[in-house]
């Protein structure tokens, strides 16, 4: 088997105000200004939650205040959209060949969906046991401005997971990226099978 990344494009819709966001694919450039090219006009803040310090870290496009400038696949973020009525961004990149792995400690974690289509919560949290490893899994309701329980995950979205103990979150690959080669008796390749489909809000920073 040969693992070959497949090109993917996902359009993510942002509502005006706070949005829970995650990279739906692995982009060529993970710089915030590359993923969100209208940052500064339609977006003015990206925040990530640091579970170790129990604090948010921000990117506002000002080097004097920015705590990070790159996005990580598998991690969740909160993005503030300033455009009235919201906006949509198409993000292009590759499906991962290895799943992201997140080390969890007891407490809250903002994790990113790795799905390329709507999937169940249990798919995203494969390997974790409800009631033993975690107790709540929330999405952000932009309309109500509050966290609500989530039973499914969508591409490009992030979720607050509350872990009850130390564990490792390793979601399945969103797509089978293995290419199968078939050879004849002489060792010549005769067939190539293509990959198939597989199964709390940050505060506004002040500069």
């Amino acid at each position: 088997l040969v693992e070959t990344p497949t090109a993917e494009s996902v359009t993510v819709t942002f509502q005006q105000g706070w949005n829970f966001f995650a990279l739906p694919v692995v982009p060529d450039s993970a710089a915030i200004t590359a993923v969100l090219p209208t940052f500064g006009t339609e977006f003015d803040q990206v925040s990530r939650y640091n579970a170790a310090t129990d604090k948010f870290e921000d990117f506002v496009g000002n080097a004097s205040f920015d705590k990070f400038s790159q996005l990580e696949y598998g991690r969740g973020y909160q993005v503030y959209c300033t455009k009235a009525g919201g906006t949509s961004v198409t993000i292009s990149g590759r499906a991962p060949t290895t799943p992201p792995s997140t080390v969890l400690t007891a407490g809250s974690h903002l994790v990113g969906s790795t799905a390329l289509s709507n999937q169940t919560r249990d798919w995203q949290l494969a390997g974790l046991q409800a009631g033993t490893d975690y107790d709540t899994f929330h999405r952000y309701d932009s309309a109500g401005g509050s966290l609500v329980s989530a039973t499914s995950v969508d591409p490009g979205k992030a979720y607050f997971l509350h872990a009850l103990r130390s564990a490792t979150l390793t979601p399945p690959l969103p797509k089978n990226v293995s290419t199968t080669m078939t050879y004849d008796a002489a060792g010549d390749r005769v067939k190539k099978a293509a990959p198939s489909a597989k199964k709390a809000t940050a505060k506004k920073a002040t500069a």
Side-chain angles (χ1 to χ4, degrees):
L1 297 179
V2 178
E3 293 185 338
T4 305
T6 58
E8 304 287 343
S9 291
V10 177
T11 299
V12 181
T13 298
F14 295 87
Q15 304 299 324
Q16 184 178 13
W18 285 111
N19 298 262
F20 276 27
F21 168 73
L23 286 173
V25 295
V26 181
D28 291 334
S29 172
I32 292 173
T33 52
V35 176
L36 302 175
T38 55
F39 189 91
T41 56
E42 296 183 341
F43 305 95
D44 69 356
Q45 184 173 329
V46 178
S47 299
R48 66 184 185 186
Y49 179 68
N50 186 324
T53 62
D54 190 27
K55 294 181 179 179
F56 282 95
E57 299 168 339
D58 307 308
F59 173 85
V60 294
N62 185 324
S64 298
F65 299 95
D66 295 337
K67 299 301 183 183
F68 66 102
S69 60
Q70 301 278 321
L71 300 174
E72 301 172 44
Y73 180 76
R75 186 166 189 169
Y77 298 88
Q78 296 185 19
V79 176
Y80 197 87
C81 175
T82 57
K83 185 178 180 181
T87 189
S88 294
V89 178
T90 297
I91 302 171
S92 299
R94 307 173 310 282
T97 56
T98 57
S101 184
T102 303
V103 176
L104 304 174
T105 55
S108 296
H109 298 265
L110 189 57
V111 299
S113 165
T114 56
L116 283 173
S117 60
N118 180 267
Q119 298 284 356
T120 66
R121 174 186 59 201
D122 291 343
W123 178 92
Q124 182 68 42
L125 303 181
L128 299 184
Q129 183 67 42
T132 301
D133 296 311
Y134 73 95
D135 57 357
T136 59
F137 187 69
H138 288 102
R139 64 178 178 83
Y140 182 66
D141 178 19
S142 297
S146 61
L147 295 174
V148 296
S149 181
T151 57
S152 62
V153 296
D154 291 309
K157 302 298 182 182
Y159 301 82
F160 254 127
L161 168 69
H162 186 262
L164 296 173
R165 63 177 185 176
S166 296
T168 300
L169 171 61
T170 307
L173 288 174
K175 194 170 189 177
N176 181 6
V177 293
S178 296
T179 299
T180 302
M181 305 294 186
T182 303
Y183 297 84
D184 61 17
D188 296 322
R189 193 177 78 193
V190 295
K191 185 178 181 181
K192 176 181 177 181
S196 59
K198 204 179 190 179
K199 66 167 190 166
T201 307
K203 293 182 179 179
K204 287 287 287 176
T206 56

